Amino acid sequence: MNTKTIEKHGFQLIEQLNETSRTIVWKAVQTTLSRTVTLSILKPEAAADPLTRDHFLKIARRIARIKNDGLISVFDIVSEADLPYVIMEHVDGPSVEELVDRNGPLPVKQILNIALSVARAIDRMWSSEGIVHRNLKSAIIRLDMRGIAKITDFSLAVLTEEGPAAYAMDDGHIVGTPCFLSPEQAQGSLDLNTLSDMYALGAVCYHMATGKVPFGDQEVVAILNAHCHGQLPPPHALNKHAPADFSWFVRRLMIKNPELRYRTWDD
């Protein structure tokens, strides 16, 4: 990827943070404003596909309209013909994945504070814009300097208003991170809603409470099958500090049938 165009626009690229099949994410300094930002850059091969490019920009515009502490802010969108990118708030704190790797299972009070922040953000994405995130996981939830959890990536999000066409870019593949996929995603559903993200939040809570990602000791195909048919030991069986009612909360979030999860985020 030729980043010279981005640098000419006043950005000093510092560190590559993440890479997906469609995007590369960089930490950068916006020199004109002397501030650190995150750049989500659509790869050239993805930008060459009009459908992917338009979707990338459309999701960024929708996220930019949402004001919520649990979502990173979108500062600007640059729609260069061959190199579109999004300028976003940079969150310097650790990810939930890094916290768990460093400290093991987190205190239940901290888990619930993180979950509440994420739930409010996902609720706003769904209620105001009809967005399903599809790739909620511990690695993309970061804590800012105040300790507030923020969702920092939206590269696989879809708009439900587009119906089955929203999944055209997937080319029939199951996308997302296997250990955090809902059963309906694992089965390749083209009719997802916010309850799929609710399952993923349950998987994040499970990871935070036990130090283990759901079904993480298996091959990908087995993980997908386990989300549909397997059972996890309850968090309190793996962490003596997790109360049983917390385990019931996680079980409700992660129940196989989406109609049996909480009906709404308010619930």
Side-chain angles (χ1 to χ4, degrees):
M1 176 182 292
N2 186 350
T3 57
K4 289 182 179 179
T5 300
I6 294 175
E7 292 168 348
K8 287 179 181 177
H9 287 177
F11 295 95
Q12 179 185 354
L13 300 181
I14 304 298
E15 176 188 2
Q16 184 175 319
L17 300 176
N18 190 27
E19 182 174 359
T20 71
S21 59
R22 299 172 188 167
T23 62
I24 295 180
V25 179
W26 279 85
K27 177 182 179 180
V29 172
Q30 189 173 12
T31 55
T32 54
L33 295 175
S34 298
R35 67 177 175 184
T36 303
V37 296
T38 296
L39 302 181
S40 179
I41 308 167
L42 194 62
K43 291 181 176 179
E45 56 269 30
D49 174 28
L51 183 66
T52 302
R53 183 179 181 278
D54 290 348
H55 179 79
F56 174 78
L57 296 172
K58 184 184 293 184
I59 289 292
R61 293 186 186 105
R62 294 293 186 96
I63 294 296
R65 299 201 306 221
I66 303 172
K67 305 302 178 188
N68 186 278
D69 276 349
L71 301 175
I72 56 170
S73 298
V74 172
F75 296 144
D76 201 1
I77 300 167
V78 179
S79 52
E80 291 280 346
D82 58 344
L83 198 64
Y85 58 96
V86 181
I87 306 160
M88 302 180 294
E89 170 189 3
H90 182 71
V91 182
D92 245 339
S95 70
V96 165
E97 181 179 69
E98 290 166 345
L99 280 177
V100 174
D101 286 347
R102 184 188 309 158
N103 303 315
L106 305 182
V108 170
K109 183 177 180 180
Q110 184 179 17
I111 294 171
L112 294 177
N113 283 332
I114 291 170
L116 180 60
S117 182
V118 172
R120 285 172 171 160
I122 293 289
D123 184 24
R124 286 283 291 140
M125 289 169 58
W126 173 251
S127 61
S128 65
E129 301 293 342
I131 294 173
V132 180
H133 188 283
R134 294 205 305 169
N135 197 28
L136 190 66
K137 57 184 177 179
S138 304
I140 66 154
I141 301 168
R142 288 190 171 273
L143 274 61
D144 69 10
M145 301 305 291
R146 301 167 295 169
I148 295 176
K150 291 178 177 283
I151 302 170
T152 62
D153 178 81
F154 309 93
S155 57
L156 294 181
V158 293
L159 296 168
T160 53
E161 67 193 44
E162 296 179 349
Y167 307 92
M169 292 177 300
D170 300 341
D171 292 327
H173 299 297
I174 294 171
V175 302
T177 303
C179 291
F180 297 89
L181 290 184
S182 68
E184 52 270 32
Q185 281 180 275
Q187 293 169 330
S189 173
L190 301 183
D191 186 26
L192 300 177
N193 59 36
T194 198
L195 298 180
S196 185
D197 290 336
M198 190 177 288
Y199 182 98
L201 179 59
V204 172
C205 287
Y206 190 92
H207 183 204
M208 290 191 285
T210 66
K212 301 178 183 296
V213 292
F215 310 115
D217 56 349
Q218 304 180 50
E219 297 295 326
V220 171
V221 173
I223 292 172
L224 299 180
N225 184 64
H227 279 300
C228 298
H229 307 292
Q231 296 298 325
L232 291 163
H236 72 271
L238 302 178
N239 178 359
K240 65 180 181 180
H241 300 294
D245 55 359
F246 173 82
S247 291
W248 280 105
F249 166 65
V250 173
R251 182 181 181 276
R252 180 78 180 272
L253 293 174
M254 295 187 69
I255 202 162
K256 308 296 184 187
N257 183 347
E259 294 183 3
L260 298 179
R261 295 171 204 152
Y262 294 101
R263 292 184 60 195
T264 67
W265 288 103
D266 280 344
D267 289 346

